Amino acid sequence: MSIAKKEYKRITTKSLVDMKANGEKIAMLTAYDFSMAKIVDGAGIDVILVGDSASNVMAGHETTLPITLDQMIYHATSVVRAINRSLVVVDLPFGSYQSDPKEALRSAIRIMKESGAHAVKLEGGKEVKDSIKRILHAGIPVMGHLGLTPQSIYKFGTYTVRAREEHEAEKLKSDAKMLEKMGCFAVVLEKVPAELAREVAESISIPVIGIGAGNGVDGQVLVIHDMLGMTHEFNPRFLRRYADLHAEMTKAFQNYRDDVKNQDFPSEEEQY
Ligand code: KIV
């Protein structure tokens, strides 16, 4: 049984706004390479985010700060080659859009031109308004990202839930309104109280995609390595694991090692 309300041959930014209007939830996952993106696209995931979480899960950095624009373009290019249906959104990495709007536009243009992706995502509200404006004016779709914004981790000092305090919740609500008004096509809300996220989703017409933001929003996103159970030491409350690939892969590698050591592999049938 299909749970999609309408079949979309290709997901566009407009399809996502339609999904929200029709009450259909949006499914988004990260991917950073060709093989994974091919599976994600084939499984009917609406949006693939080439997230700067690649800095953590692909490169092993502690934060998302070190990944470069060239590295993001490399990941995005590999993902775009794999897709038939999903919308591909690429994170503008730390340092590629904060200092001035012209640089932000140059970075967004490089992503769109060199990778063939469909949209960019960037973190922040009013602070990066001019950069967002410039990118949108060039015809590049922008997804916002509010709440816990990992590129500002050294300002926050911790990965705990954001916007519990009234003043921060008010700022988040006004930033979300601003992003809608400016013409962003969607906004990610990360690690904020579920009630606040619901209120934001109900107050704007563009989709709100949550991660650790409860079920009152218009869609969900997870980091693919986390939901597949590859990062078993990472256990936030919002994470649901749909597989235990850490265990599965460890078993496979151990079996392979044993077969090689015992000279069980390759067998007669597996040689020429
Ligand atoms: O980089 C990323 O994976 C993200 C998601 C957590 C939304 O921004």
Side-chain angles (χ1 to χ4, degrees):
M1 189 191 78
S2 169
I3 47 173
K5 301 214 167 165
K6 181 178 158 192
E7 289 305 324
Y8 292 92
K9 267 195 134 150
R10 258 208 117 104
I11 303 296
T12 63
T13 54
K14 184 176 177 307
S15 326
L16 302 183
V17 178
D18 287 349
M19 283 183 193
K20 171 163 180 150
N22 297 333
E24 176 175 343
K25 300 285 183 184
I26 296 161
M28 167 160 144
L29 280 176
T30 66
Y32 320 97
D33 68 273
F34 176 85
S35 304
M36 196 72 102
K38 206 164 176 58
I39 301 172
V40 174
D41 179 76
I45 297 299
D46 301 309
V47 185
I48 297 183
L49 173 65
V50 183
D52 58 359
S53 49
S55 179
N56 309 110
V57 296
M58 300 299 287
H61 292 296
E62 213 173 290
T63 72
T64 57
L65 276 68
I67 199 161
T68 65
L69 185 58
D70 283 336
Q71 288 165 340
M72 288 303 297
I73 290 171
Y74 168 77
H75 287 297
T77 307
S78 310
V79 166
V80 168
R81 276 187 213 114
I83 57 113
N84 282 314
R85 175 182 176 274
S86 308
L87 183 87
V88 179
V89 182
V90 182
D91 265 335
L92 279 165
F94 177 69
S96 72
Y97 63 95
Q98 292 94 340
S99 54
D100 88 89
K102 277 192 190 158
E103 192 192 2
L105 177 58
R106 267 195 301 275
S107 304
I109 287 177
R110 277 201 63 201
I111 287 178
M112 301 296 284
K113 229 179 166 56
E114 294 177 38
S115 77
H118 309 125
V120 297
K121 173 165 86 57
L122 56 84
E123 296 182 5
K126 285 196 183 62
E127 320 75 38
V128 286
K129 184 178 177 189
D130 293 340
S131 292
I132 295 173
K133 198 162 151 192
R134 195 102 192 191
I135 297 169
L136 286 168
H137 277 179
I140 299 173
V142 175
M143 177 181 271
H145 184 154
L146 302 171
L148 176 67
T149 46
Q151 291 178 12
S152 308
I153 187 58
Y154 291 119
K155 183 174 120 193
F156 297 143
T158 149
Y159 285 101
T160 53
V161 179
R162 304 303 311 171
R164 281 200 196 277
E165 310 276 330
E166 182 73 22
H167 73 277
E168 200 182 330
E170 287 308 317
K171 179 177 180 326
L172 189 146
K173 286 191 261 185
S174 93
D175 280 344
K177 282 249 178 237
M178 181 200 83
L179 295 176
E180 176 199 30
K181 212 164 145 204
M182 289 179 75
C184 291
F185 70 94
V187 53
V188 166
L189 278 193
E190 181 164 355
K191 244 180 159 184
V192 297
E195 261 325 295
L196 173 65
R198 180 189 296 277
E199 195 186 328
V200 172
E202 284 172 359
S203 73
I204 59 178
S205 58
I206 57 171
V208 173
I209 317 281
I211 173 163
N215 67 5
V217 291
D218 308 303
Q220 300 292 331
V221 56
L222 287 174
V223 169
I224 200 158
H225 290 65
D226 299 339
M227 65 87 77
L228 289 175
M230 294 170 84
T231 50
H232 71 148
E233 61 291 328
F234 180 61
N235 284 306
R237 174 166 161 178
F238 67 77
L239 175 60
R240 184 180 294 182
R241 290 208 168 85
Y242 286 83
D244 185 358
L245 285 200
H246 188 275
E248 288 270 331
M249 290 169 82
T250 303
K251 193 86 213 114
F253 300 148
Q254 285 169 341
N255 289 344
Y256 167 71
R257 179 204 58 197
D258 293 349
D259 287 353
V260 171
K261 301 271 180 201
N262 298 332
Q263 299 186 46
D264 275 352
F265 175 78
S267 65
E268 283 293 327
E269 297 76 45
E270 288 162 327
Q271 47 191 299
Y272 300 99

